[in-house]
CSV table of all heavy atoms in Angstrom, one decimal:
chain,number,residue,atom,x,y,z
A,67,MET,N,17.2,34.8,-3.5
A,67,MET,CA,17.9,34.7,-2.2
A,67,MET,C,19.4,34.3,-2.3
A,67,MET,O,20.3,34.9,-1.6
A,67,MET,CB,17.2,33.8,-1.3
A,67,MET,CG,15.9,34.4,-0.7
A,67,MET,SD,15.1,33.2,0.4
A,67,MET,CE,14.0,34.3,1.3
A,68,MET,N,19.7,33.3,-3.0
A,68,MET,CA,21.1,33.0,-3.2
A,68,MET,C,22.0,33.9,-3.8
A,68,MET,O,23.0,34.2,-3.3
A,68,MET,CB,21.2,31.6,-4.1
A,68,MET,CG,22.6,31.1,-4.2
A,68,MET,SD,22.8,29.6,-5.2
A,68,MET,CE,22.3,30.3,-6.9
A,69,HIS,N,21.5,34.7,-4.8
A,69,HIS,CA,22.1,35.7,-5.6
A,69,HIS,C,22.5,36.8,-4.7
A,69,HIS,O,23.6,37.4,-4.7
A,69,HIS,CB,21.3,36.1,-6.8
A,69,HIS,CG,22.1,36.9,-7.9
A,69,HIS,ND1,21.9,38.2,-8.0
A,69,HIS,CD2,22.9,36.5,-8.7
A,69,HIS,CE1,22.6,38.6,-9.0
A,69,HIS,NE2,23.3,37.6,-9.5
A,70,VAL,N,21.5,37.2,-3.9
A,70,VAL,CA,21.8,38.3,-3.0
A,70,VAL,C,22.7,38.0,-1.8
A,70,VAL,O,23.6,38.6,-1.4
A,70,VAL,CB,20.4,38.9,-2.4
A,70,VAL,CG1,20.7,39.8,-1.1
A,70,VAL,CG2,19.7,39.6,-3.4
A,71,GLY,N,22.6,36.6,-1.4
A,71,GLY,CA,23.3,36.3,-0.3
A,71,GLY,C,24.9,36.0,-0.5
A,71,GLY,O,25.7,35.8,0.5
A,72,VAL,N,25.3,36.1,-1.7
A,72,VAL,CA,26.8,36.0,-2.1
A,72,VAL,C,27.4,37.1,-1.4
A,72,VAL,O,28.6,36.7,-0.8
A,72,VAL,CB,26.9,36.0,-3.6
A,72,VAL,CG1,28.4,36.0,-3.8
A,72,VAL,CG2,26.3,34.9,-4.3
A,73,ASP,N,26.9,38.2,-1.2
A,73,ASP,CA,27.6,39.3,-0.5
A,73,ASP,C,27.2,39.2,1.0
A,73,ASP,O,26.0,39.5,1.4
A,73,ASP,CB,27.2,40.7,-1.1
A,73,ASP,CG,27.9,41.8,-0.4
A,73,ASP,OD1,28.6,41.6,0.7
A,73,ASP,OD2,27.8,43.0,-1.0
A,74,PRO,N,28.1,38.9,1.9
A,74,PRO,CA,27.7,38.8,3.3
A,74,PRO,C,27.0,40.1,3.9
A,74,PRO,O,26.1,39.9,4.7
A,74,PRO,CB,29.0,38.6,4.0
A,74,PRO,CG,29.9,37.8,3.0
A,74,PRO,CD,29.5,38.6,1.8
A,75,ALA,N,27.3,41.2,3.3
A,75,ALA,CA,26.7,42.6,3.7
A,75,ALA,C,25.2,42.6,3.4
A,75,ALA,O,24.6,43.5,3.9
A,75,ALA,CB,27.5,43.7,3.3
A,76,GLU,N,24.9,41.8,2.3
A,76,GLU,CA,23.5,41.8,2.0
A,76,GLU,C,22.7,40.7,2.5
A,76,GLU,O,21.4,40.6,2.2
A,76,GLU,CB,23.4,41.7,0.4
A,76,GLU,CG,24.1,43.0,-0.2
A,76,GLU,CD,23.8,43.0,-1.7
A,76,GLU,OE1,22.9,42.4,-2.3
A,76,GLU,OE2,24.7,43.5,-2.4
A,77,ARG,N,23.1,39.8,3.3
A,77,ARG,CA,22.5,38.6,3.7
A,77,ARG,C,21.3,38.9,4.7
A,77,ARG,O,20.4,38.2,4.8
A,77,ARG,CB,23.4,37.6,4.4
A,77,ARG,CG,24.3,36.9,3.4
A,77,ARG,CD,25.1,35.8,4.1
A,77,ARG,NE,25.8,35.1,3.0
A,77,ARG,CZ,26.7,34.1,3.3
A,77,ARG,NH1,26.8,33.7,4.6
A,77,ARG,NH2,27.3,33.5,2.3
A,78,TYR,N,21.3,40.3,5.3
A,78,TYR,CA,20.3,40.7,6.1
A,78,TYR,C,18.9,40.6,5.3
A,78,TYR,O,17.8,40.5,6.0
A,78,TYR,CB,20.5,41.9,6.7
A,78,TYR,CG,20.5,43.2,5.8
A,78,TYR,CD1,19.2,43.7,5.6
A,78,TYR,CD2,21.6,43.4,5.0
A,78,TYR,CE1,19.2,44.8,4.8
A,78,TYR,CE2,21.4,44.5,4.1
A,78,TYR,CZ,20.2,45.2,4.1
A,78,TYR,OH,20.2,46.2,3.2
A,79,LYS,N,19.0,40.7,4.0
A,79,LYS,CA,17.8,40.9,3.2
A,79,LYS,C,17.2,39.5,3.2
A,79,LYS,O,15.9,39.4,3.2
A,79,LYS,CB,18.0,41.2,1.8
A,79,LYS,CG,18.7,42.6,1.7
A,79,LYS,CD,19.1,43.0,0.3
A,79,LYS,CE,19.8,44.4,0.3
A,79,LYS,NZ,20.4,44.7,-1.1
A,80,VAL,N,18.0,38.3,3.1
A,80,VAL,CA,17.4,37.0,3.2
A,80,VAL,C,16.7,36.8,4.6
A,80,VAL,O,15.5,36.3,4.8
A,80,VAL,CB,18.5,35.9,3.0
A,80,VAL,CG1,18.0,34.6,3.2
A,80,VAL,CG2,19.1,36.3,1.7
A,81,PHE,N,17.4,37.2,5.6
A,81,PHE,CA,17.0,37.1,7.0
A,81,PHE,C,15.6,37.8,7.0
A,81,PHE,O,14.7,37.3,7.8
A,81,PHE,CB,18.0,37.5,7.9
A,81,PHE,CG,17.6,38.1,9.3
A,81,PHE,CD1,17.2,37.2,10.3
A,81,PHE,CD2,17.4,39.5,9.5
A,81,PHE,CE1,16.7,37.6,11.5
A,81,PHE,CE2,16.8,39.9,10.7
A,81,PHE,CZ,16.5,39.1,11.7
A,82,GLU,N,15.7,39.1,6.7
A,82,GLU,CA,14.4,40.0,6.9
A,82,GLU,C,13.2,39.2,6.3
A,82,GLU,O,12.1,39.2,6.8
A,82,GLU,CB,14.6,41.2,6.3
A,82,GLU,CG,15.5,42.2,7.1
A,82,GLU,CD,15.5,43.5,6.5
A,82,GLU,OE1,15.1,43.8,5.4
A,82,GLU,OE2,16.1,44.5,7.1
A,83,VAL,N,13.2,38.6,5.1
A,83,VAL,CA,12.2,38.1,4.4
A,83,VAL,C,11.7,36.8,5.1
A,83,VAL,O,10.5,36.7,5.3
A,83,VAL,CB,12.6,37.7,2.9
A,83,VAL,CG1,11.5,36.9,2.3
A,83,VAL,CG2,12.6,39.1,2.2
A,84,PHE,N,12.6,36.0,5.5
A,84,PHE,CA,12.4,34.7,6.2
A,84,PHE,C,11.6,35.0,7.6
A,84,PHE,O,10.7,34.5,7.9
A,84,PHE,CB,13.5,33.9,6.6
A,84,PHE,CG,13.8,32.9,5.4
A,84,PHE,CD1,15.1,32.9,5.0
A,84,PHE,CD2,12.8,32.3,4.8
A,84,PHE,CE1,15.4,32.0,3.9
A,84,PHE,CE2,13.2,31.4,3.6
A,84,PHE,CZ,14.5,31.3,3.2
A,85,ARG,N,12.2,36.2,8.2
A,85,ARG,CA,11.7,36.5,9.5
A,85,ARG,C,10.1,37.1,9.4
A,85,ARG,O,9.3,36.7,10.0
A,85,ARG,CB,12.4,37.7,10.2
A,85,ARG,CG,11.9,38.4,11.5
A,85,ARG,CD,12.6,39.7,11.8
A,85,ARG,NE,12.2,40.7,10.7
A,85,ARG,CZ,12.9,41.8,10.4
A,85,ARG,NH1,13.9,42.0,11.2
A,85,ARG,NH2,12.5,42.6,9.6
A,86,ASP,N,10.0,37.9,8.5
A,86,ASP,CA,8.6,38.6,8.1
A,86,ASP,C,7.7,37.4,7.5
A,86,ASP,O,6.5,37.4,8.0
A,86,ASP,CB,8.8,39.6,7.2
A,86,ASP,CG,9.5,40.8,7.8
A,86,ASP,OD1,9.8,40.9,9.0
A,86,ASP,OD2,9.8,41.8,7.0
A,87,ALA,N,8.2,36.6,6.8
A,87,ALA,CA,7.3,35.5,6.3
A,87,ALA,C,6.8,34.6,7.4
A,87,ALA,O,5.7,34.2,7.4
A,87,ALA,CB,8.1,34.8,5.2
A,88,SER,N,7.7,34.2,8.3
A,88,SER,CA,7.4,33.4,9.4
A,88,SER,C,6.4,34.0,10.2
A,88,SER,O,5.3,33.4,10.7
A,88,SER,CB,8.6,33.0,10.2
A,88,SER,OG,8.3,32.2,11.3
A,89,ALA,N,6.5,35.4,10.4
A,89,ALA,CA,5.6,36.0,11.3
A,89,ALA,C,4.2,36.1,10.6
A,89,ALA,O,3.1,36.2,11.3
A,89,ALA,CB,6.0,37.5,11.5
Side-chain angles (χ1 to χ4, degrees):
M67 285 185 162
M68 177 182 69
H69 197 252
V70 167
V72 173
D73 183 351
E76 295 185 29
R77 286 188 176 179
Y78 72 91
K79 299 173 183 177
V80 176
F81 155 78
E82 283 182 353
V83 167
F84 277 134
R85 178 198 64 199
D86 294 348
S88 177

